[in-house]
Amino acid sequence: MFDTTPGPYTGPVPIVTHVHGAAGVGDESDGYAEAWYLPAANNIPAGYATEGTWYGFFAGKAATKFGATWGPGFATFQYPVTQRASTAWYHDHTLGMTRLNVYAGPAGFFIIRGGPEGDSAVLDSRTGLAAVLPGPAPREGDRFPPNKTYYEIPIAIQDRSFNADGSLFYPSTREFFDGVAGPFIPDTDISPIWNPEFFGNVMMVNGNTWPFQMVEQRRYRFRLLNGCQSRFLILDFSQIPGVEVWQIGNEGGFLAAPVNHTATGNQLLLGPAERRRRHRRLHERAGRHLDARHVGPDEPFGGGLPGVDFPVADPRRPAR
């Protein structure tokens, strides 16, 4: 309960990890929003809670269930990973600031391989034998920069906005979103800081702005993740002659049969947190610069066709 309108939080950053798409995970390991914890720092101001109200409860469950010990600045989770091969991802889950923490960077792929329906379960319809999927993929322990070429590539797409000095831009008031300048809590139920939605004006891929990838004339396997705050992505490959796009999986695993997106407009819709797996065949494009465009809206997506039912995203438009 507030007696006056609160100002922005400027203390240590809380965090609790959630693996989005993991199956069979106990509630003690699922990143309960109120089981967050602060860093194990020696300069936390007096009066600050160092852990969420449910941290102790789930710490006790983890100790009983699999003998894990939690302590200042950390928690130990257990993931059974018994589901079929799929593309999951991890991100922060802290109550009230999940979006802000994900925006700052703690998010990435959690790729599950093998199992009863792993890559070997994908059959070549021509021979009935196990299909040969593009590889290799990046692996733990690989050199950086790599000394080999990858043909299976994870691609996390997110939108950001930056200040002039290169730091991340964060809206400082609710007024940024819709012009509401108050009254705020406790006189209304409107927060002075939280913004219901955010659309950045810079697209990032795997943490890089305006990235590029040198490719060969062959098949690639891309694992796509929409890691945006509010933005629906519509990836458009229709302006790239000679590129075929086939979808072979979604966030739950392999599809029953590949889907030919090239035959249906060569566009792919991805909602926030949605994952897809695609084969992309590149041919007859040697030495050319190829652009994959995002033609979704700079606003909440309500369906329809780009350029008909809504204006497509404008790369020159400021954040909102």
Side-chain angles (χ1 to χ4, degrees):
M1 302 299 293
F2 295 98
D3 297 322
T4 60
T5 300
Y9 176 73
T10 59
V13 179
I15 195 169
V16 61
T17 306
H18 169 70
V19 175
H20 194 112
V25 179
D27 56 0
E28 81 291 332
S29 300
D30 200 36
Y32 193 74
E34 293 181 75
W36 53 263
Y37 46 92
L38 295 186
N42 60 11
N43 61 345
I44 295 176
Y48 275 64
T50 59
E51 58 194 40
T53 53
W54 284 81
Y55 177 91
F57 174 79
F58 288 117
K61 291 196 70 172
T64 301
K65 187 173 181 180
F66 50 89
T69 299
W70 295 16
F74 76 95
T76 302
F77 293 167
Q78 186 178 80
Y79 302 103
V81 195
T82 55
Q83 66 205 82
R84 61 179 182 161
S86 58
T87 304
W89 69 300
Y90 70 89
H91 60 77
D92 174 67
H93 221 218
T94 305
L95 179 68
M97 60 184 302
T98 293
R99 179 177 67 81
L100 304 183
N101 276 354
V102 173
Y103 185 73
F109 283 96
F110 191 98
I111 295 174
I112 301 170
R113 300 184 183 275
E117 295 182 354
D119 286 2
S120 61
V122 183
L123 303 181
D124 188 323
S125 60
R126 299 166 298 179
T127 64
L129 302 175
V132 179
L133 299 176
R139 298 178 62 90
E140 182 180 7
D142 282 354
R143 285 178 48 187
F144 184 82
N147 60 342
K148 59 185 176 182
T149 302
Y150 298 121
Y151 299 106
E152 179 190 318
I153 304 175
I155 297 178
I157 305 173
Q158 298 172 298
D159 55 352
R160 297 285 190 274
S161 291
F162 297 91
N163 297 309
D165 64 359
S167 60
L168 284 171
F169 165 75
Y170 285 85
S172 59
T173 68
R174 167 64 182 253
E175 191 173 4
F176 170 83
F177 175 74
D178 54 12
V180 172
F184 299 119
I185 293 171
D187 300 314
T188 68
D189 62 353
I190 300 175
S191 165
I193 303 295
W194 288 343
N195 286 254
E197 294 157 351
F198 179 81
F199 294 84
N201 59 357
V202 175
M203 302 304 293
M204 294 181 61
V205 175
N206 295 347
N208 295 287
T209 55
W210 314 120
F212 69 93
Q213 173 72 33
M214 300 295 294
V215 295
E216 303 173 25
Q217 294 176 259
R218 55 158 296 158
R219 291 181 178 179
Y220 283 78
R221 179 183 180 183
F222 293 148
R223 295 179 183 261
L224 294 171
L225 161 67
N226 179 352
C228 297
Q229 314 296 314
S230 308
R231 185 185 297 278
F232 276 70
L233 297 173
I234 302 177
L235 303 182
D236 180 30
F237 304 95
S238 63
Q239 304 302 312
I240 311 178
V243 173
E244 295 182 11
V245 178
W246 293 74
Q247 182 179 344
I248 63 170
N250 60 12
E251 53 200 23
F254 288 108
L255 300 179
V259 175
N260 184 357
H261 287 289
T262 304
T264 57
N266 234 355
Q267 292 185 345
L268 184 67
L269 173 66
L270 285 171
E274 191 173 2
R275 289 89 66 202
R276 302 281 184 92
R277 279 184 280 178
R278 299 182 303 112
H279 271 198
R280 184 173 171 185
R281 179 184 297 162
L282 310 173
H283 55 84
E284 300 178 359
R285 307 301 294 171
R288 300 291 298 276
H289 183 94
L290 314 178
D291 289 317
R293 301 185 303 158
H294 159 58
V295 295
D298 278 323
E299 59 189 28
F301 179 67
L305 298 175
V308 178
D309 299 295
F310 54 82
V312 300
D314 185 350
R316 298 164 298 178
R317 188 173 180 176
R320 60 174 292 271

